[in-house]
Amino acid sequence: MGGSGRFATQKETYNSYVTKELNIQLSPAAGYFFADKFAGGLRGKVIYEKVEFNGGVSNSTQLGIGPFLRYYFLNTENRFNLFAESAYQYMYSSRNYGAGIDRSNDFTLSVGPVIYLNETLGIEGAINGELYNYVGASIRSITFFFSLGFQIHLEKENSQ
C-alpha cells in the first residue's frame, strides 16, 4: 500500500497572452508481491487542475484507475533500494469549459530510490515519464516530472 503526490505551478507568456496553471495530483496504490522483488496491483489517480488565461478560468477534475507492475533491484533487507515501475490508467475528466468531458489512456514509467525508515515504511522519490493519449482526438501529451511518495509493506502472517 502506498502512494505519491505531485504539486506543480506554471506560468507561460507569449506576446501579451499569459497563462497560469495549478496542478495537484494524488496517486494511491495497493499491490501484492507475487514474486521475489516483483509487485503488481492497482493504482488510482485524482487530479485537480486550474488554468487562468487572459481573464478566463478553467477548472478540471480527473479520475483514473489501472494496473501497475513494480520491480525492486536490490536485496530486500537493505534500508535503501531502487525501483522501476510501469503503470496504465484509464482517465476520466470533467471540466467547466469546452465539451466538458474527456477520456484518456495514461501510460507512466517511473524509476527512483526508496529509503526504508523501518521494516515496513519506505519514503521514495521518482523521476517519471507520462504519456497521455486522448480518446477520440489526435491529442498526445508527454510530461516528465519528479514525485515523492511512500510505501507500506504489510507482512503476511504465517498461520500454524
Side-chain angles (χ1 to χ4, degrees), residues 100-129:
I101 296 175
D102 288 319
R103 294 179 315 273
S104 63
N105 295 296
D106 178 5
F107 301 92
T108 307
L109 291 174
S110 306
V111 294
V114 181
I115 298 171
Y116 290 96
L117 304 177
N118 56 36
E119 290 182 8
T120 59
L121 179 62
I123 304 295
E124 64 186 33
I127 296 171
N128 307 271

Side-chain angles (χ1 to χ4, degrees), residues 28-68:
Y32 182 78
F33 280 91
F34 58 88
D36 188 34
K37 301 181 185 180
F38 252 115
L42 287 176
R43 177 173 297 281
K45 192 180 284 187
V46 178
I47 301 172
Y48 170 75
E49 189 172 64
K50 178 181 178 182
V51 180
E52 298 176 22
F53 51 94
N54 283 355
V57 176
S58 67
N59 296 298
S60 70
T61 304
Q62 301 173 42
L63 302 172
I65 192 163
F68 75 88

Side-chain angles (χ1 to χ4, degrees), residues 38-159:
F38 252 115
L42 287 176
R43 177 173 297 281
K45 192 180 284 187
V46 178
I47 301 172
Y48 170 75
E49 189 172 64
K50 178 181 178 182
V51 180
E52 298 176 22
F53 51 94
N54 283 355
V57 176
S58 67
N59 296 298
S60 70
T61 304
Q62 301 173 42
L63 302 172
I65 192 163
F68 75 88
L69 289 173
R70 177 179 278 217
Y71 181 75
Y72 290 92
F73 290 97
L74 303 177
N75 192 331
T76 56
E77 286 79 34
N78 290 353
R79 281 231 187 256
F80 174 83
N81 211 326
L82 298 171
F83 73 91
E85 180 178 300
S86 175
Y88 163 81
Q89 289 165 328
Y90 182 78
M91 301 293 295
Y92 174 86
S93 62
S94 175
R95 53 193 162 109
N96 69 341
Y97 62 94
I101 296 175
D102 288 319
R103 294 179 315 273
S104 63
N105 295 296
D106 178 5
F107 301 92
T108 307
L109 291 174
S110 306
V111 294
V114 181
I115 298 171
Y116 290 96
L117 304 177
N118 56 36
E119 290 182 8
T120 59
L121 179 62
I123 304 295
E124 64 186 33
I127 296 171
N128 307 271
E130 187 173 64
L131 169 67
Y132 271 89
N133 283 315
Y134 289 88
V135 175
S138 60
I139 301 171
R140 181 177 291 177
S141 169
I142 298 174
T143 306
F144 294 96
F145 62 95
F146 179 77
S147 63
L148 289 174
F150 70 94
Q151 296 294 320
I152 299 172
H153 296 269
L154 304 175
E155 293 189 31
K156 188 175 174 180
E157 199 172 300
N158 291 332
S159 58

